[in-house]
Amino acid sequence: MRPDDWHLTEDVEDFLARAGDFLRSRPALHTMPLTLTEKLRALGPAASGTRGPVFGRLERDGEVHATFHRFPSRGLSVTSLTPEQADTLAARLVALGRPLPYVSADHGTATAFAEAWRRHTGATSSLRVRLHLYRLGTLTPPEPFPEGRGRLVGEQDHEHLMRWCREFAADVGEAVTIDAASWAGTRFAEKRYTYWETPDGTPVSMAGVNPLVAGQVRVDPVYTPAHLRGRGYAAAVTVEVSRAALAAGAEEVVLFTNSANPTSNALYQRLGYERITDFVVYDFTAAEPEASGLA
């Protein structure tokens, strides 16, 4: 593989025409690029709230081996790479003069790319977060099941939904503005949400689900206000949206968890979700310029 085997475009339709089959070949592992490209294809670059991303594909002899996407001023999100492929990507980006604040990928790929980026730029890397990717096996509702019911979130719930999304973002350390003006450009906007309600109709937990793409859907986010946790509401709403996804034709239902949260990891495993791989984010710190030695 050579650096010039990486082909770049800002046209999502062109990218999908050339790399769509590759992404659809591993829908669970490619859930992030599949969801993003579907959102941009359906709603256009304005859906991201900024300029659209640059897409890249690693192609040789007519075969696509990997892809990446990157929004301006943000980090790199890339599918699985060998160390050699990671090195060619780093070389390609360095040649284009494109600095990177971070990389997000499966653990092996992110580690290989961070090392390649260090070799080419001198930048050091630090682990920001490790995520577990789970795929639903056999759905196993909890016993006892909390009283109440699931209800799709409607337009009348929008202010309440935005408030809960803000609280969720704060809980997980996301720096994002979520209000009526910014909503359409956030990662929360394209999802379908369900509330779990107590018998008197009070919402106590929520779950979002991304649109069905290539036979997979991703559950994200799941949120229960702190004072309502520990009562089984998150499990109930996750079961509700998982059942709905399967009924709608999903072949794979996936979700991410923070590896540092043992409560959520244990919960999803009890519900029948099985861990398939880890993703990590490495932040990059640029190398300090060498001193000239002049007084």
Side-chain angles (χ1 to χ4, degrees):
M1 294 289 177
R2 304 181 302 267
D4 57 6
D5 289 330
W6 285 97
H7 305 274
L8 278 58
T9 181
E10 295 183 11
D11 186 333
V12 67
E13 296 287 0
D14 175 66
F15 173 72
L16 287 174
R18 300 172 185 273
D21 287 346
F22 167 77
L23 293 177
R24 290 187 290 270
S25 69
R26 305 178 77 184
L29 292 176
H30 297 162
T31 178
M32 296 298 285
L34 283 169
T35 299
L36 172 68
T37 52
E38 178 62 18
K39 178 180 180 179
L40 293 176
R41 187 198 63 76
L43 302 177
S48 66
T50 181
R51 283 178 50 203
V54 172
F55 297 100
R57 71 184 191 280
L58 178 62
E59 182 175 338
R60 196 166 192 185
D61 299 327
E63 182 180 359
V64 175
H65 297 270
T67 70
F68 76 82
H69 67 266
R70 187 202 171 184
F71 284 92
S73 76
R74 300 187 196 173
L76 182 76
S77 180
V78 62
T79 61
S80 293
L81 301 175
T82 66
E84 178 189 5
Q85 292 167 343
D87 190 76
T88 63
L89 177 55
R92 181 80 161 97
L93 296 177
V94 167
L96 293 171
R98 301 189 179 187
L100 286 177
Y102 63 85
V103 63
S104 174
D106 67 82
H107 181 267
T109 295
T111 301
F113 183 85
E115 174 58 23
W117 195 245
R118 182 197 62 77
R119 288 196 303 271
H120 285 276
T121 68
T124 58
S125 61
S126 58
L127 179 66
R128 184 201 309 175
V129 66
R130 181 190 298 271
L131 303 172
H132 298 323
L133 176 61
Y134 287 91
R135 177 170 50 204
L136 181 61
T138 300
L139 185 62
T140 308
E143 294 183 3
F145 206 78
E147 292 185 351
R149 68 184 184 97
R151 174 178 68 82
L152 287 175
V153 174
E155 187 60 36
Q156 74 278 6
D157 304 300
H158 192 55
E159 287 295 329
H160 183 268
L161 174 65
M162 288 194 298
R163 175 162 61 84
W164 273 11
C165 287
R166 284 193 295 271
E167 292 174 6
F168 169 81
D171 272 3
V172 298
E174 290 187 26
V176 60
T177 299
I178 303 173
D179 55 28
S182 63
W183 175 255
T186 71
R187 73 175 186 85
F188 299 96
E190 76 274 16
K191 306 172 191 295
R192 188 178 189 183
Y193 290 89
T194 296
Y195 282 158
W196 187 260
E197 295 182 332
T198 55
D200 66 0
T202 302
V204 289
S205 189
M206 76 168 184
V209 175
N210 287 276
L212 178 68
V213 186
Q216 65 81 38
V217 299
R218 189 171 71 255
V219 178
D220 170 60
V222 177
Y223 175 71
T224 305
H227 69 284
L228 295 171
R229 294 171 189 169
R231 308 181 192 186
Y233 297 143
V237 77
T238 301
V239 168
E240 185 78 6
V241 298
S242 300
R243 281 175 172 162
L246 295 172
E251 298 172 2
E252 295 185 310
V253 184
V254 301
L255 55 80
F256 285 101
T257 67
N258 190 319
S259 66
N261 188 333
T263 300
S264 62
N265 282 280
L267 165 65
Y268 296 123
Q269 291 180 67
R270 287 197 302 270
L271 298 182
Y273 280 86
E274 301 166 353
R275 180 173 159 194
I276 55 176
T277 194
D278 286 358
F279 277 67
V280 299
V281 179
Y282 283 113
D283 290 317
F284 295 131
T285 301
E288 293 290 337
E290 294 184 5
S292 66
L294 299 178

